[in-house]
Amino acid sequence: TLLLSPLSSLFAKENLSRMNEQQLNLYDRLINEPSNDWDIYYWATEAKATPAEFEHEVMAMLRDFAKNKKKEQRLRQPDLEYLFEPPP
């Protein structure tokens, strides 16, 4: 799935907790409906035009995130923090 890439997993970590229900639904469609994850990557990096059905605010957020304006190092996926939390 899309979440296997560092770009998408870092985007999810940074943005999902701030998204409203409509944005979460758009994100869900974006990562589950296209049959090829590479298409989503190409749309996010503007290597290919985004189809109309996926041209929405969440796609704009992903495109902006892909531009990496802060020049962050994004070579690996984020840690699964819940694995490091002490048991309740």
Side-chain angles (χ1 to χ4, degrees):
T1 68
L2 174 68
L3 292 178
L4 295 177
S5 76
L7 175 66
S8 57
S9 58
L10 290 165
F11 172 81
K13 180 177 179 163
E14 186 172 307
N15 292 283
L16 290 184
S17 65
R18 296 190 308 237
M19 288 184 183
N20 62 37
E21 186 175 351
Q22 179 186 5
Q23 291 169 323
L24 290 170
N25 288 332
L26 291 171
Y27 180 75
D28 184 63
R29 281 190 56 231
L30 178 63
I31 65 170
N32 288 304
E33 288 185 15
S35 61
N36 186 342
D37 291 344
W38 280 104
D39 286 338
I40 302 166
Y41 177 80
Y42 294 140
W43 305 334
T45 59
E46 300 182 86
K48 289 185 179 180
T50 304
E53 68 261 33
F54 298 111
E55 189 56 64
H56 47 61
E57 65 182 301
V58 174
M59 188 69 230
M61 291 168 63
L62 182 58
R63 263 197 305 271
D64 190 57
F65 186 80
K67 291 177 183 175
N68 196 10
K69 294 175 185 175
K70 296 177 187 175
K71 305 293 183 208
E72 299 169 317
Q73 188 174 17
R74 297 179 177 167
L75 301 176
R76 62 194 270 304
Q77 294 186 24
D79 292 331
L80 299 175
E81 293 162 348
Y82 68 89
L83 293 176
F84 303 106
E85 294 176 1

